[in-house]
Amino acid sequence: GYALVALGPSLSLFIAVISKKPFLILTLLSSTLVWLISLIILSGIWRAFLPLNSTTWWPFAILIFTSIAFQEGLRLLFWKVYKRLEDILDAFADKVSKPRLYLTDKMQIALAGGLGHGVAHAVFFCLSLLTPAFGPATYFVDRCSQIPFFLVSAIIALAFVTVHTFSMVIAFNGYAEGNKVDQLFVPSVHLAAGMMVIFYFCSHVYATPSCSVSEPYYVQ
Amino acid sequence: MAQNQRPKSLLDSLGEEIIRILTPVSICMLLVVLLVSILNSSSSLSVTSSIATIAYSETGSDSSWDKFIGALLNSLVFVVVVTVATFILVLFFYLRCTKFLKIYMGFSSFVVLGFMGGEIALFLIEEFSVPVDCITFLVLLFNFAVIGVLAVFMSKMPIIVTQGYLVLIGMMVAYWFTLLPEWTTWVLLVAMALYDLAAVLLPVGPLRLLVELAMSRDEDIPALVYEARPVTHHDSASRPVQRRIWRERQNARLDSEDSSSLNSDLNSTVSIVQSSHNGARIARVEEGQVSERDAELSAPLIDRRMDAQDGMSTESLMLEGMGLGSSGAIKLGLGDFIFYSVLVGRAAMYDFMTVYACYLAIVAGLGITLVLLALYQKALPALPVSIALGVLFYFLTRFLLEVFIVQCSLNLLMF
């Protein structure tokens, strides 16, 4: 159940669009891998500072900020690799006398890349923690004690999958056309979504209904 | 109308061969993970003693250093056994005893499907309390094993049956391997990867000799190789079908019989008597299939694979390899399937996060190996890159990533 909440839209997207074209599956897997590597590097860097003191909120802010900056940097790198790939593919297409890549093809590649990122997020932040959910009870976190933890993480994962998927498409479009607004839009959205959690901390001071309030913000 | 349809884009069919080989590997890994998570939830303390643990049986209370040395000794013994077995296979091939080898392989694959499949089925029946009686069970098992042997050997079966059976064989052997103690498994994987590297690339390596023999004589040994269904391009009009362009194939056979039992020196019988946990008989048979394919992107690539087995009585060799057979479709040796699944199964015993990380690492390794194959155009071992990446990612995930993610998630920090 939880897994489907987190991954439902991405699964349907996968079946409809990506499974038809094997190249997109490969793109998906490679972007998932890249995201995983970025996570590992980040965890390596932050390992020394964990476990964090959970009462103050600013270490978390730094954590999120650095992580997001790193990942946006990676997105730029992904874009550069993609440019080179596009050239190779076009040359190859000429060689076998097939038409060059259409715009929809390029967007599909971007979509697959973004979906890969989103799936990696959902898998690592939500699914891998679901193993205790198979048992009879459920689990609540102190921060947010109305909704079971698994449901919270599933909803957040859902939101992030959407964010990641579409931000990749927008980012590629932005880089391609040199459109500054688009280019800046993506990292800011990412940052905003990440910073939302800080909302939790501030609201920790106030009453508890906060976390069910912030949930709708996420889904927006 | 024809005008409304765009001509097919390049993207439609680009990575298809890779996907065709990736899917069965993923399915095999998935099945092993499922089996491991179902059957090992009650931590089984029985240590299967086989040739892999002949040097040292790991117990829970030994210190880390002891465990490490023990695991090293075990793997060393194992690699030595496999080397000897491979050399004997080369010898047989050289002396042209192919009929004998073929019969032997058929027999061993029957035993694998029958006995190991039966054992796994027994575990499952026990776990789920399925009411089924002995006789029905035996009849079903026997039929299953016979069809399996036929499917692997005769090429008249629909290809999906053959592929399915090969995946099942790989899954059973991999499951058996995951029953080994933990340190032994990891060191064994690394040792096999190194051995594969050595055996294929060194001029004196047995696998390389085998390939060269097969090539020079232009014949094949029947062996167990997974061959992906060939890709036919519908829209390439008058392209002549290229048959047998690249005649390099490797067939490696791997037969190993392993009769191991808890009370170790019982079972003088080579015919395996069903004992509680540990009858494991691994036989690998490779078979190449001839199919046709338009060669567009293909390059003659041969990888070898090795399957390791524990054998007390006879040796087994498995050639692992990826390559294009005379048909042009990508062939992946069954040993590769097995070792990848062993790695993922072992990761599953820890936590699911490691499973995902290792799966991605192995797929990446496979991709890299394919690219290298396209570049170098000679026999390449398919095992080392993936295993190296997989082991690396496993340890990184276990020690670094898990703490990070659990911390972040508990505080509901996600990015």
Side-chain angles (χ1 to χ4, degrees):
Chain A
Y2 291 125
L4 282 181
V5 166
L7 279 184
S10 56
L11 199 65
S12 47
L13 204 60
F14 183 78
I15 295 180
V17 175
I18 296 192
S19 57
K20 302 285 185 315
K21 308 199 175 182
F23 187 71
L24 294 180
I25 301 183
L26 292 174
T27 320
L28 187 110
L29 285 174
S30 57
S31 65
T32 314
L33 186 74
V34 164
W35 209 89
L36 171 66
I37 295 179
S38 73
L39 263 190
I40 290 186
I41 296 180
L42 280 173
S43 63
I45 296 177
W46 276 95
R47 181 77 170 90
F49 304 104
L50 292 172
L52 285 175
N53 184 357
S54 54
T55 50
T56 57
W57 60 270
W58 57 266
F60 292 118
I62 298 186
L63 183 74
I64 293 201
F65 193 68
T66 51
S67 319
I68 292 187
F70 190 68
Q71 285 190 333
E72 290 304 321
L74 269 188
R75 199 184 295 260
L76 204 57
L77 196 66
F78 208 63
W79 163 254
K80 297 225 160 61
V81 170
Y82 169 71
K83 283 305 279 177
R84 220 185 305 167
L85 183 70
E86 205 179 311
D87 292 336
I88 297 180
L89 281 182
D90 277 340
F92 187 73
D94 286 341
K95 199 158 54 145
V96 292
S97 63
K98 280 215 172 94
R100 292 186 156 221
L101 291 177
Y102 298 112
L103 181 62
T104 50
D105 284 340
K106 298 183 194 175
M107 293 188 101
Q108 277 177 348
I109 296 182
L111 188 72
L115 196 64
H117 278 204
V119 163
H121 176 278
V123 160
F124 284 100
F125 276 106
C126 173
L127 287 186
S128 30
L129 301 170
L130 275 184
T131 336
F134 291 137
T138 186
Y139 183 65
F140 291 88
V141 183
D142 318 324
R143 294 234 173 266
C144 179
S145 35
Q146 289 95 18
I147 315 183
F149 170 62
F150 300 116
L151 191 59
V152 169
S153 71
I155 295 180
I156 295 184
L158 174 67
F160 265 100
V161 163
T162 328
V163 166
H164 276 298
T165 314
F166 292 110
S167 55
M168 189 64 105
V169 177
I170 297 177
F172 271 25
N173 225 11
Y175 293 138
E177 298 170 11
N179 189 350
K180 281 289 180 196
V181 173
D182 273 352
Q183 282 179 22
L184 288 177
F185 181 63
V186 168
S188 46
V189 164
H190 200 177
L191 206 60
M195 289 301 193
M196 283 291 206
V197 285
I198 307 297
F199 203 53
Y200 286 156
F201 290 90
C202 299
S203 53
H204 182 69
V205 180
Y206 306 110
T208 41
S210 57
C211 95
S212 28
V213 163
S214 339
E215 285 295 319
Y217 277 103
Y218 263 103
V219 184
Q220 309 274 345
Chain B
M1 289 282 110
Q3 278 114 356
N4 290 348
Q5 277 184 348
R6 261 201 302 213
K8 286 210 175 157
S9 155
L10 180 63
L11 219 52
D12 279 348
S13 58
L14 191 56
E16 198 159 356
E17 308 91 36
I18 304 183
I19 294 295
R20 285 231 170 107
I21 203 79
L22 214 56
T23 318
V25 174
S26 314
I27 293 180
C28 189
M29 285 199 252
L30 183 72
L31 287 176
V32 172
V33 168
L34 279 179
L35 265 186
V36 164
S37 52
I38 292 178
L39 292 179
N40 282 31
S41 44
S42 56
S43 62
S44 56
L45 301 171
S46 62
V47 175
T48 62
S49 62
S50 63
I51 203 166
T53 52
I54 200 173
Y56 164 73
S57 286
E58 173 176 324
T59 56
S61 55
D62 291 344
S63 70
S64 299
W65 184 246
D66 280 345
K67 284 191 199 172
F68 183 62
I69 295 290
L72 217 57
L73 285 176
N74 275 343
S75 342
L76 213 59
V77 169
F78 200 70
V79 168
V80 164
V81 167
V82 170
T83 319
V84 171
T86 320
F87 273 114
I88 293 195
L89 183 68
V90 174
L91 192 67
F92 273 145
F93 189 49
Y94 188 67
L95 298 175
R96 300 178 190 263
C97 308
T98 43
K99 191 115 198 265
F100 167 72
L101 290 177
K102 202 164 176 169
I103 294 179
Y104 186 60
M105 284 192 316
F107 180 58
S108 0
S109 75
F110 178 76
V111 169
V112 166
L113 280 176
F115 284 99
M116 283 178 59
E119 224 172 279
I120 294 182
L122 278 178
F123 285 156
L124 285 174
I125 290 180
E126 217 177 299
E127 183 81 15
F128 291 118
S129 308
V130 176
V132 65
D133 61 308
C134 278
I135 302 191
T136 316
F137 180 65
L138 280 177
V139 167
L140 284 176
L141 192 64
F142 183 69
N143 283 342
F144 174 70
V146 165
I147 296 183
V149 172
L150 288 180
V152 164
F153 272 109
M154 320 265 159
S155 43
K156 305 243 180 60
M157 292 251 176
I159 195 166
I160 197 148
V161 173
T162 314
Q163 289 175 342
Y165 266 101
L166 286 172
V167 168
L168 281 177
I169 292 180
M171 174 194 87
M172 288 176 201
V173 179
Y175 178 68
W176 185 83
F177 267 103
T178 57
L179 294 176
L180 293 176
E182 184 166 358
W183 285 70
T184 309
T185 319
W186 290 109
V187 179
L188 188 70
L189 279 172
V190 173
M192 285 311 297
L194 289 176
Y195 171 62
D196 197 22
L197 201 60
V200 173
L201 295 179
L202 290 182
V204 78
L207 295 178
R208 193 187 187 140
L209 293 178
L210 197 58
V211 160
E212 282 167 9
L213 270 182
M215 267 169 56
S216 64
R217 285 204 214 148
D218 210 31
E219 67 182 44
D220 347 295
I221 326 175
L224 268 180
V225 160
Y226 184 92
E227 181 150 336
R229 207 186 314 199
V231 176
T232 54
H233 298 272
H234 297 287
D235 49 19
S236 57
S238 50
R239 192 180 285 261
V241 169
Q242 295 160 335
R243 285 178 181 249
R244 297 179 184 253
I245 309 175
W246 298 290
R247 298 267 328 186
E248 300 147 339
R249 327 172 125 220
Q250 309 81 300
N251 303 321
R253 281 182 350 151
L254 203 52
D255 324 272
S256 57
E257 284 146 33
D258 180 16
S259 30
S260 48
S261 54
L262 272 174
N263 356 20
S264 41
D265 32 47
L266 269 195
N267 279 358
S268 52
T269 57
V270 168
S271 58
I272 311 262
V273 173
Q274 186 97 16
S275 52
S276 50
H277 280 297
N278 0 32
R281 195 147 165 176
I282 308 171
R284 295 189 207 253
V285 170
E286 285 185 22
E287 176 190 289
Q289 276 187 340
V290 179
S291 36
E292 286 157 350
R293 179 182 187 257
D294 265 358
E296 240 181 30
L297 305 171
S298 43
L301 304 173
I302 304 182
D303 284 328
R304 297 202 197 222
R305 253 185 214 269
M306 285 228 313
D307 269 343
Q309 284 134 349
D310 306 350
M312 269 190 191
S313 38
T314 46
E315 302 95 71
S316 28
L317 285 177
M318 277 203 285
L319 278 185
E320 325 178 294
M322 254 201 299
L324 289 184
S326 52
S327 56
I330 293 188
K331 289 170 30 161
L332 191 66
L334 210 59
D336 286 334
F337 274 80
I338 291 178
F339 280 110
Y340 294 160
S341 310
V342 169
L343 197 140
V344 174
R346 217 359 121 161
M349 286 187 181
Y350 183 69
D351 189 25
F352 276 121
M353 199 185 298
T354 46
V355 170
Y356 300 127
C358 290
Y359 172 71
L360 286 173
I362 289 182
V363 166
L366 201 62
I368 294 179
T369 315
L370 279 172
V371 166
L372 283 180
L373 271 182
L375 283 182
Y376 281 112
Q377 311 232 347
K378 55 183 263 214
L380 280 186
L383 213 51
V385 179
S386 291
I387 298 270
L389 277 181
V391 171
L392 181 72
F393 270 69
Y394 173 77
F395 284 113
L396 280 180
T397 308
R398 181 165 168 169
F399 295 117
L400 290 181
L401 193 63
E402 195 173 356
V403 177
F404 184 64
I405 290 204
V406 168
Q407 262 282 305
C408 282
S409 304
L410 281 183
N411 291 312
L412 295 180
L413 281 180
M414 305 198 186
F415 52 89

